[in-house]
Amino acid sequence: MEERKIRVKINGRDCELSVKPNELLLNVLRNKLGLCGTKYGCGTGDCGACTVLVNNEPKLSCLTLAVTVDGAEITTIEGLATDGKLHPIQDAFVKNGAIQCGFCIPGIIIMAKALLDENPHPTDEEIKEALKGHLCRCTGYINIIKAIKAASMAMSKA
Amino acid sequence: MATQYHTVGKPSIRKDAIPKATGQEKFTCDVVIPGMLYGRILRSKYPHARIKRIDTSKAEAMGAICITFEDVPKAKYNERIVSVPSATFKDRTVLTNKPLHVGEAIAAVAAETEEKAEKALRLIEVEYEPLEPVFDPIAAMKPGKPSLHDSIILQDKVVEIKNNIAAKVEISEGDVEKGFREADIVIEGTARTSRVYHTQLETKSAVVVPEPNGGVTIWTTTQTIHNCRILIGEIFGIPLNKVNVKKISLGGSFGSSIQMNSVLPITVALALKAKRPVKMCTTREEDMYDHCRYPMILKYKLGAKKDGRLVAGEMEVIVDIGAHNIQAYPLLGCTAGWLVSLYKMPNLKFVGKAVYTNKAPACAMQGFGNPQVNFIAQTMMNEVAEKLGLDPIEVELKNYVGLGDVFWGQGPTVRSVIRSCGVEELIKKGAEMIGWKNRGRPQDKKGDIVRGIGMARGFHTSSAGGPMAGEAVDFSGAMIKINEDGTVDVIAPLQDMGGGALEAGLKIVAETLGVPLDCVELAPTDTCNSVYDVCLHATRGVYAGGGTLKKVAEQVRQKLLEFASRILGVYPHALKIRPDENLKQGVIYAEGISGKEITVKEVAATARNKNWGTIAAVDSLRQGQCPPAYTVYFVEVEVNKRTGEVKPVRAVIGADCGTVIDPIYAVAQIHGSFYRGLSYVLCEDTKYKRRTGELTNKGFLSGYNILKAEDMPNPDDIQVFFANTYEETGPFGAKGIGEAAINPVPAVVANAIYNAIGVWIREMPITPEKVLKALKEKGGN
Ligand code: FES
Ligand code: FES
């Protein structure tokens, strides 16, 4: 299959990539760019482990063709911490015991970023709603919800 | 108790939290080796078949490396070697020519890209001779039914399999007939528990590099790097010093990697044939056909006196193990043991049978038979209490196995005496917190939406240790060394499934050495640079793994103090160590003598400069006990009588894990276990299509019912508290917690449902349809 050139801004850096028309964004990030923080959990849109931000919108990279993000700005989990400083959401996950095996965490943190950008003070119910597309087998979601609330507090103070 | 410690019992941030929060943590699927090929597996379309012909020539013509049954070693093995050889039933090979379930591996390919590997897979031609499958365990035992395995290997002897019965265990204590005659009330019931899919987020994977010396280097999803090494060495005839399995983070497991996962030996076979590194990451669909929890049918009869004291119990268990016997024999022994250890029962009979069927093979999953037994035993005990007009709490307190009693930690061969027990404290405090006395009676609850409160208690062993060698191998090993700058390397092959066992281990090391936690790190560990550790299972991480780290750290401390004594001129036993957070060092000092102080760094540097040697130790530890960790659950549910929906709304959870090493992660373990238990009892199950033997969800998560965040009670409505206990045989008084926290969850939900609507439902999952059916039946009589 013929490869196509696309231009994207990934975690603030411009890159030009050559991708096949059927290539998934998930595989491009992981295999071509070495951004392995974005995880494969199902490939069918059921677990949320592959969530990334495309133009600030959460998108499942396992269901997104790379060619469709031409010109877009993409943020992966690797792009959240700046100058070696954790993003407040990451910090809250770390401090609230919200991370166990950690495999679901990149997708959930990315989703939390999108949620808090849109709704800086979500209720428990709103957080649960936002977690609908995410599977975490380890935590029972309890400390994840607590961490997102703690992040919301920390971000509004800052 | 914990206040005397500087690190143990205090909340801390686990060392892997930041790499995991920033996407830096590496899992097997993230390993990249220059020049590696990608592997894919061809899987059986039929639940039971013979491969008549398999032709890989077209795939090979496009440059793919291919392997079939003809290319793999023929000796049978069992992928789980936690049990001793006399209890390890071998019935499988790396690839098969007689697949026993849909999705069983029959061939594999490796190619330059995943796409090419996928294409090669489609070019393999297979001619099957379909055989009659059997899916129901009861039917499978009937004469004339197709046989899955004619024979298996047990300790190098061929053992014939009859009626698809893979293993059988019978245990009896006292005289049940006599016991039932003496009983004032006898009740009987049957429970069915589900075939839950582990749903660990990371699918099973392996990366294998063939080495020039004929050996292999391996990264894989496993709970035991050393057992993977032994198995790969045995199967492929490679000396163990040439098999190096590297420890890497696991994206959850919950028991599903207690065995060497099927993907590993296949990847090894491919890499050896290709003479190139091969990476194999399975898809979610493949993973769902690879492992699940043991489902059981449990028939139980129980007799009690008027005052609620139990006098006799009889249990018959049938386990549907699927296509392979990974660990059915230890499962049956453990299942009997969980019953024996739940209630003091003077007369008891247990018969368990494990039966082969043409489904995905079942294996360990958190609790290992314990939630299944607990489900029937605790709901029927509640029923007895209700029938006798007694408070279920009172009945539990009369019958529980506690302090001074004998506990079966891993079936009949692993027993020890209980030395710490917080059951009474947990029950009484929990009852108070939930408002047990005001829960009301089902007959008084009006309206379509009613609430009920249930109670159930449970436990799990901490390790499979014991005073005598049993049928399970159980010991850990570790090396600890102090570096020239005062920092500490911990080389521990013990795995962490995500629960934080190793982080607890680091705190135990810091506490023992007297250095700040920041000084202690887990070193990259593999099977070549570490001593043996059996496996992370049986809630043994903190108690046995942590116990081992404490033992080794004590030896290091001894050596450190001897060296410090040479420098300071103070006898070693008069020296103490305290962590100095400002210096980021341990400081060795003589109490009351000023000026006699030195940092760990200075001692280590001096030891180097003066050629005294490294301050290090390496050792193994077998725990001589298997103390139970206890949990007590009080859960409130809301039942909608119109729709049959059950919603958990509030929980009070009490836990006795001895000393709590880390309050944040101990609570987090309990949260996760509560969640998995709720999902287990309320909705999870894997079902098979009768005609094709396929999973009804075809292996897709979208078709697998599982609780989500929205189904959980709000964080503020879940309260967790700990008992004030100290386990003298555990590191700093600690026991385990993980599995104890899931075991009573199915029962507590069933008991709460009874309290809400007055019906007992003992068939999992308790779906709305089953609730409506039970309500209808109740209304009808
Ligand atoms: S991998 Fe994309 S949703 Fe699961
Ligand atoms: S932390 Fe393991 S799946 Fe979420």
Side-chain angles (χ1 to χ4, degrees):
Chain A
M1 255 179 282
E2 193 74 359
E3 299 219 332
R4 286 210 352 228
K5 289 243 180 308
I6 59 167
R7 284 169 167 283
V8 282
K9 194 175 212 158
I10 295 188
N11 299 332
R13 278 211 338 251
D14 289 312
C15 25
E16 202 182 272
L17 294 162
S18 145
V19 298
K20 295 202 187 92
N22 65 349
E23 219 169 334
L24 295 168
L25 178 58
L26 172 68
N27 296 339
V28 171
L29 292 171
R30 291 180 52 84
N31 303 340
K32 290 210 163 119
L33 296 163
L35 295 170
C36 289
T38 305
K39 297 294 184 219
Y40 165 92
C42 66
T44 50
D46 298 308
C47 77
C50 63
T51 308
V52 297
L53 296 178
V54 176
N55 295 330
N56 292 320
E57 288 282 321
K59 278 258 167 352
L60 298 172
S61 63
C62 76
L63 297 183
T64 305
L65 290 173
V67 286
T68 65
V69 299
D70 193 6
E73 228 177 273
I74 296 170
T75 308
T76 70
I77 189 69
E78 290 90 347
L80 279 198
T82 39
D83 306 326
K85 219 175 147 274
L86 293 182
H87 186 281
I89 300 174
Q90 293 172 314
D91 189 59
F93 271 66
V94 166
K95 290 194 177 133
N96 284 276
I99 302 174
Q100 293 196 31
C101 83
F103 207 81
C104 68
I105 295 297
I108 291 183
I109 288 181
I110 288 287
M111 177 283 296
K113 164 110 176 35
L115 170 70
L116 295 181
D117 282 349
E118 204 186 283
N119 176 3
H121 299 288
T123 61
D124 282 358
E125 308 309 325
E126 285 165 340
I127 297 173
K128 286 178 175 184
E129 179 65 27
L131 280 165
K132 247 191 167 121
H134 292 265
L135 202 61
C136 171
R137 191 56 153 167
C138 298
T139 64
Y141 305 97
I142 311 299
N143 285 352
I144 288 179
I145 296 170
K146 283 189 186 168
I148 295 175
K149 287 192 114 170
S152 137
M153 298 257 286
M155 286 160 77
S156 63
K157 269 192 216 126
Chain B
M1 217 51 196
T3 48
Q4 73 207 57
Y5 305 128
H6 51 76
T7 302
V8 161
K10 308 264 172 5
S12 47
I13 287 172
R14 47 192 286 179
K15 308 240 176 192
D16 58 2
I18 291 176
K20 284 175 176 175
T22 52
Q24 309 296 314
E25 187 77 1
K26 290 278 173 278
F27 297 85
T28 301
C29 56
D30 302 326
V31 172
V32 175
I33 306 289
M36 70 185 184
L37 302 176
Y38 292 86
R40 297 287 293 129
I41 296 171
L42 186 67
R43 296 175 179 277
S44 175
K45 282 196 232 170
Y46 294 94
H48 197 183
R50 200 166 273 119
I51 306 292
K52 281 170 70 181
R53 190 182 64 90
I54 187 159
D55 184 355
T56 55
S57 55
K58 285 188 186 136
E60 271 155 341
M62 63 164 279
I65 305 293
C66 303
I67 54 169
T68 67
F69 178 70
E70 295 311 319
D71 303 288
V72 299
K74 300 291 173 291
K76 287 181 183 166
Y77 63 87
N78 181 317
E79 58 269 60
R80 172 190 169 277
I81 52 169
V82 170
S83 297
V84 295
S86 61
T88 301
F89 297 56
K90 305 175 180 179
D91 71 10
R92 71 173 310 146
T93 47
V94 178
L95 295 168
T96 184
N97 60 355
K98 186 184 181 257
L100 298 173
H101 66 94
V102 169
E104 179 145 34
I106 54 174
V109 302
E112 304 291 337
T113 63
E114 267 178 312
E115 219 180 343
K116 270 194 191 152
E118 193 63 47
K119 200 166 159 200
L121 215 56
R122 286 197 296 268
L123 292 175
I124 299 177
E125 290 168 12
V126 189
E127 204 180 310
Y128 294 91
E129 177 196 334
L131 302 171
E132 187 193 340
V134 55
F135 301 115
D136 178 67
I138 312 265
M141 288 189 283
K142 299 225 167 90
K145 280 291 162 187
S147 154
L148 274 73
H149 299 268
D150 294 330
S151 66
I152 55 110
I153 306 291
L154 185 59
Q155 279 210 309
D156 304 324
K157 283 199 197 66
V158 178
V159 177
E160 207 188 318
I161 297 292
K162 289 202 197 93
N163 303 323
N164 291 311
I165 298 175
K168 196 172 165 181
V169 166
E170 283 191 38
I171 284 163
S172 105
E173 309 248 311
D175 179 347
V176 267
E177 302 307 324
K178 187 171 143 271
F180 283 123
R181 277 198 304 274
E182 287 167 3
D184 296 321
I185 176 173
V186 173
I187 67 164
E188 288 182 60
T190 300
R192 282 169 189 272
T193 69
S194 338
R195 195 178 191 85
V196 166
Y197 166 58
H198 295 82
T199 327
Q200 80 294 344
L201 258 269
E202 180 189 25
T203 57
K204 303 306 174 195
S205 304
V207 177
V208 177
V209 180
E211 299 294 347
N213 66 3
V216 281
T217 302
I218 290 167
W219 291 261
T220 191
T221 44
T222 186
Q223 293 167 222
T224 162
I225 56 172
H226 278 280
N227 285 356
C228 282
R229 178 197 220 196
I230 294 173
L231 279 160
I232 291 300
E234 229 169 66
I235 295 168
F236 293 95
I238 309 173
L240 292 191
N241 59 359
K242 293 181 183 172
V243 181
N244 196 15
V245 185
K246 301 213 171 228
K247 194 163 90 163
I248 189 161
S249 267
L250 257 180
S253 182
F254 314 106
S256 58
S257 289
I258 191 174
Q259 70 275 29
M260 168 180 71
N261 291 131
S262 60
V263 62
L264 174 59
I266 298 173
T267 313
V268 170
L270 276 172
L272 289 176
K273 184 161 180 191
K275 301 193 172 59
R276 296 219 358 224
V278 176
K279 176 172 183 169
M280 178 99 73
C281 300
T282 58
T283 62
R284 181 58 64 186
E285 296 92 296
E286 290 181 281
D287 198 81
M288 253 196 222
Y289 280 106
D290 200 45
H291 47 83
C292 64
R293 185 190 274 282
Y294 283 108
M296 294 185 183
I297 303 167
L298 307 108
K299 273 170 96 176
Y300 189 36
K301 177 174 164 186
L302 118 137
K305 290 293 216 189
K306 270 202 201 74
D307 66 357
R309 249 182 323 112
L310 278 179
V311 284
E314 191 173 353
M315 186 176 279
E316 195 191 319
V317 173
I318 292 169
V319 191
D320 172 1
I321 69 167
H324 293 285
N325 180 356
I326 298 179
Q327 52 192 116
Y329 174 75
L331 174 82
L332 293 173
C334 281
T335 304
W338 308 138
L339 180 63
V340 170
S341 303
L342 191 57
Y343 294 117
K344 282 182 200 143
M345 212 160 347
N347 307 292
L348 174 98
K349 194 169 161 205
F350 175 93
V351 182
K353 285 185 199 141
V355 188
Y356 284 120
T357 59
N358 293 104
K359 302 182 202 164
C363 68
M365 184 170 181
Q366 192 184 24
F368 197 45
N370 203 331
Q372 292 94 321
V373 171
N374 190 290
F375 180 57
I376 187 151
Q378 290 266 292
T379 58
M380 280 180 55
M381 196 73 217
N382 245 261
E383 190 177 338
V384 165
E386 297 288 349
K387 290 213 159 110
L388 290 171
L390 300 170
D391 184 341
I393 283 186
E394 211 183 292
V395 175
E396 288 301 323
L397 288 174
K398 254 182 206 146
N399 291 292
Y400 78 94
V401 170
L403 216 58
D405 296 328
V406 173
F407 177 75
W408 294 23
Q410 200 77 185
T413 67
V414 177
R415 308 183 187 195
S416 71
V417 173
I418 298 170
R419 291 170 160 78
S420 62
C421 171
V423 172
E424 197 170 330
E425 180 188 343
L426 297 177
I427 290 184
K428 290 189 169 155
K429 188 166 170 190
E432 203 61 42
M433 287 165 72
I434 197 90
W436 177 251
K437 286 264 174 299
N438 305 322
R439 72 192 186 286
R441 300 182 310 166
Q443 56 267 41
D444 303 330
K445 302 190 181 191
K446 300 280 173 274
D448 282 340
I449 295 176
V450 285
R451 286 193 171 196
I453 293 178
M455 191 279 290
R457 64 175 182 88
F459 57 78
H460 207 72
T461 188
S462 311
S463 88
M468 297 192 306
E471 282 173 340
V473 175
D474 197 290
F475 73 93
S476 284
M479 172 158 81
I480 299 173
K481 63 182 173 52
I482 295 185
N483 300 315
E484 293 67 26
D485 63 352
T487 60
V488 181
D489 285 330
V490 176
I491 298 119
L494 187 74
Q495 259 293 17
D496 190 333
M497 284 186 258
L502 282 168
E503 301 290 331
L506 292 182
K507 295 179 81 163
I508 289 168
V509 171
E511 187 70 49
T512 310
L513 288 176
V515 302
L517 183 57
D518 276 347
C519 287
V520 185
E521 287 285 345
L522 282 169
T525 299
D526 58 47
T527 51
C528 285
N529 73 9
S530 68
V531 290
Y532 184 81
D533 184 292
V534 65
C535 186
L536 183 67
H537 79 125
T539 306
R540 64 185 299 284
V542 168
Y543 178 72
T548 305
L549 288 168
K550 180 158 187 281
K551 179 183 178 186
V552 179
E554 275 163 1
Q555 296 170 15
V556 174
R557 180 188 170 99
Q558 199 60 36
K559 204 160 175 184
L560 176 65
L561 293 182
E562 272 162 30
F563 286 179
S565 139
R566 289 190 208 175
I567 303 169
L568 296 176
V570 177
Y571 293 113
H573 57 262
L575 291 172
K576 293 194 163 165
I577 317 176
R578 63 158 195 270
D580 189 314
E581 300 291 343
N582 292 327
L583 294 174
K584 299 199 182 342
Q585 278 287 317
V587 173
I588 302 161
Y589 64 101
E591 221 169 10
I593 312 176
S594 70
K596 293 293 183 190
E597 265 197 18
I598 187 167
T599 62
V600 172
K601 172 180 175 170
E602 282 171 274
V603 178
T606 308
R608 172 188 174 273
N609 296 335
K610 300 209 168 185
N611 303 294
W612 294 343
T614 301
I615 306 167
V618 54
D619 210 342
S620 306
L621 176 74
R622 150 78 173 186
Q623 286 285 22
Q625 312 292 329
C626 49
Y630 296 98
T631 52
V632 174
Y633 270 83
F634 292 86
V635 169
E636 183 168 18
V637 298
E638 191 173 272
V639 184
N640 184 326
K641 290 205 234 171
R642 272 171 189 271
T643 63
E645 266 169 295
V646 176
K647 199 168 164 41
V649 291
R650 192 161 66 100
V652 170
I653 309 165
D656 164 18
C657 53
T659 300
V660 178
I661 302 287
D662 190 300
I664 294 183
Y665 294 106
V667 170
Q669 279 274 288
I670 292 168
H671 286 163
S673 300
F674 178 42
Y675 158 72
R676 289 185 294 279
L678 287 176
S679 198
Y680 180 17
V681 64
L682 290 175
C683 60
E684 290 185 45
D685 202 6
T686 48
K687 288 226 164 55
Y688 287 77
K689 293 187 195 163
R690 293 256 141 219
R691 225 167 35 80
T692 60
E694 284 173 296
L695 284 166
T696 50
N697 62 23
K698 300 213 172 211
F700 294 126
L701 277 180
S702 44
Y704 184 69
N705 286 331
I706 190 165
L707 293 191
K708 290 289 186 71
E710 65 201 275
D711 306 307
M712 291 296 288
N714 284 337
D716 291 344
D717 295 323
I718 301 174
Q719 286 168 281
V720 177
F721 69 98
F722 293 98
N724 184 22
T725 52
Y726 185 89
E727 171 59 40
E728 62 186 58
T729 66
F732 299 104
K735 305 189 262 192
I737 184 62
E739 291 173 281
I742 194 173
N743 295 334
V745 179
V748 78
V749 170
N751 288 343
I753 292 173
Y754 174 81
N755 183 244
I757 57 171
V759 294
W760 297 106
I761 305 177
R762 298 208 173 92
E763 194 171 318
M764 282 196 220
I766 304 181
T767 54
E769 298 76 56
K770 285 179 194 155
V771 172
L772 290 179
K773 188 167 158 252
L775 277 171
K776 208 168 151 200
E777 279 165 11
K778 181 190 162 213
N781 58 39

